[in-house]
Amino acid sequence: MKIDVASLRAAAVTILKSCGETDEGAATVADSMIMADSRGITTHGTYLLSPIRKRVDANQLPLPTRATLAEDKGCTAVVDGGDGLGAIAGKLAVETAVAKAKQGGVASVLIRNTNNVGSLACYTEAAARQGMIATMTCNAAPAMSPWGGAEPFLGTNPIAMAIYTGTDTLFSADMASSVVARGKIRKAARNGETIPDNWAMDADGNFTTDPNAALKGCLLPMGGPKGSAIALFVDIFSGLLSGSRYARDLKSFHAPEGSTGVGAALTVFNIENFMPLATFKGLMQEYIAQMKSLQKAKGFDEIYLPGEIEQNRERASRAEGVTLDDNAVKAIDELLEGAGSAQRLRK
């Protein structure tokens, strides 16, 4: 179904407020979810409303979210997420990092004691649009084995990068350090689909195409030992250094098994501390033009900037409506009914 963005956002805000979040907090989280859904990254979108409701009902998600600056030292800071909604802690981290980078050139803000933060591009792009280059990492519950192992130790541990370009289209990459995000395996399991045989292993260490067996086993790192090294770095930087949980101590957000203990790390570079922003914009436009003018490989009509396809998809979704499957629409309508709202996505 095509769902009007305003209607989907209103539904998300209503559900989040019924869970105990403030108006401002609900709007922040809803915007993060809508961005993900609009780009087709539904595993990080309004799908998360259901686990949020379940955690609230199980008294394992204290709302409203009380994210605070636990430490604030020069060009660094630590945000304590209050075990609340990750997007609110993420927004505070971006605001803090950008303000510090405008003063000192570079800033790093770590986040501890939070939950699923959604798509990291939401935060790196928010910084990049303000004339910055930004990177962000985040750890997660064990789902992947380090290279050579056969049992979960690391999360999918994504890393995101965004660069100001001077146009509406940013350089923006956001990727899991596993071959695939675990949410895609959950989605395949929900839809009764198989998965490629290079995504995951079962509990016995065998490659599998069964998503349910994969959920009981572990994911594989992208690029073998290279992805494994990145995932370990992300866990240490985002979790261990921030004072949050790491490795096997993290818990899944998708089951009410206790606080997740997610950590994240955002680093922002102020371009104007290195060269005039206008100069950088001109160089970036020339760089992108050269890249796009290269000879195309067979089967390709265009060379895209990282994140360009997703940003184009978001613009189309905001104009034409967000595509959600029937199960997703049904789940949101059931949550609206449970919240006592007369609003429904399915007319």
Side-chain angles (χ1 to χ4, degrees):
M1 292 180 61
K2 291 280 190 180
I3 307 296
D4 174 70
V5 166
S7 297
L8 184 59
R9 184 182 186 276
V13 168
T14 295
I15 293 165
L16 290 163
K17 287 172 62 177
S18 77
C19 290
E21 193 49 76
T22 64
D23 289 356
E24 182 181 358
T28 295
V29 178
D31 287 340
S32 172
M33 292 178 171
I34 298 305
M35 174 179 165
D37 277 341
S38 296
R39 295 184 175 193
I41 311 170
T42 55
T43 52
H44 292 31
T46 48
Y47 157 74
L48 293 170
L49 291 168
S50 291
I52 287 172
R53 179 77 261 178
K54 290 177 182 177
R55 293 188 74 85
V56 168
D57 291 345
N59 295 315
Q60 293 189 7
L61 183 60
L63 298 184
T65 301
R66 293 181 173 85
T68 58
L69 278 182
E71 297 181 25
D72 189 352
K73 302 175 182 177
C75 63
T76 67
V78 176
V79 171
D80 189 300
D83 193 28
L85 296 174
I88 296 172
K91 181 181 179 183
L92 177 57
V94 171
E95 292 171 346
T96 303
V98 168
K100 286 180 175 292
K102 286 181 177 179
Q103 291 183 336
V106 179
S108 284
V109 179
L110 307 187
I111 303 173
R112 69 185 182 207
N113 188 30
T114 192
N115 286 290
N116 190 307
V117 297
S119 174
L120 298 187
C122 179
Y123 315 104
T124 54
E125 289 184 17
R129 293 192 187 283
Q130 299 180 65
M132 306 283 163
I133 295 175
T135 67
M136 190 171 185
T137 61
C138 178
N139 66 3
M144 180 173 71
S145 174
W147 184 247
E151 60 179 307
F153 181 75
L154 298 163
T156 53
N157 294 7
I159 180 169
M161 300 151 276
I163 303 175
Y164 169 85
T165 63
T167 72
D168 288 340
T169 300
L170 301 168
F171 175 111
S172 180
D174 182 357
M175 66 198 83
S177 51
S178 55
V179 173
V180 67
R182 200 165 193 235
K184 290 188 177 181
I185 294 182
R186 290 193 188 95
K187 184 176 181 180
R190 290 195 304 273
N191 295 337
E193 300 168 348
T194 59
I195 60 174
D197 62 6
N198 64 341
W199 279 13
M201 294 185 288
D202 63 21
D204 297 321
N206 302 307
F207 297 120
T208 182
T209 60
D210 181 351
N212 293 296
L215 291 172
K216 296 176 182 177
C218 60
L219 300 175
L220 296 169
M222 67 172 181
K226 296 178 182 180
S228 179
I230 292 171
L232 289 163
F233 171 84
V234 169
D235 201 29
I236 294 166
F237 189 28
S238 303
L240 189 151
L241 183 62
S242 70
S244 206
R245 294 182 183 176
Y246 49 92
R248 288 175 169 171
D249 288 336
L250 286 150
K251 295 186 182 297
S252 173
F253 185 70
H254 300 273
E257 300 170 343
S259 60
T260 63
V262 167
L266 172 69
T267 300
V268 172
F269 302 83
N270 184 359
I271 292 169
E272 287 192 310
N273 270 64
F274 300 90
M275 68 171 61
L277 195 60
T279 301
F280 184 82
K281 173 183 175 180
L283 291 171
M284 280 298 295
Q285 290 304 298
E286 181 182 350
Y287 185 95
I288 294 168
Q290 288 185 24
M291 181 198 76
K292 286 182 170 291
S293 68
L294 294 172
Q295 179 179 338
K296 312 300 185 293
K298 186 176 181 179
F300 289 85
D301 296 322
E302 184 174 351
I303 299 172
Y304 290 97
L305 194 67
E308 183 177 358
I309 292 174
E310 290 79 7
Q311 291 170 73
N312 288 342
R313 188 179 295 137
E314 180 181 0
R315 294 184 191 103
S317 294
R318 291 186 181 278
E320 304 165 8
V322 178
T323 300
L324 293 179
D325 63 35
D326 287 344
N327 289 336
V329 172
K330 179 181 178 183
I332 293 173
D333 281 349
E334 288 175 351
L335 289 168
L336 286 168
E337 182 178 2
S341 172
Q343 182 189 356
R344 298 292 184 273
L345 296 182
R346 190 186 301 276
K347 305 302 183 182

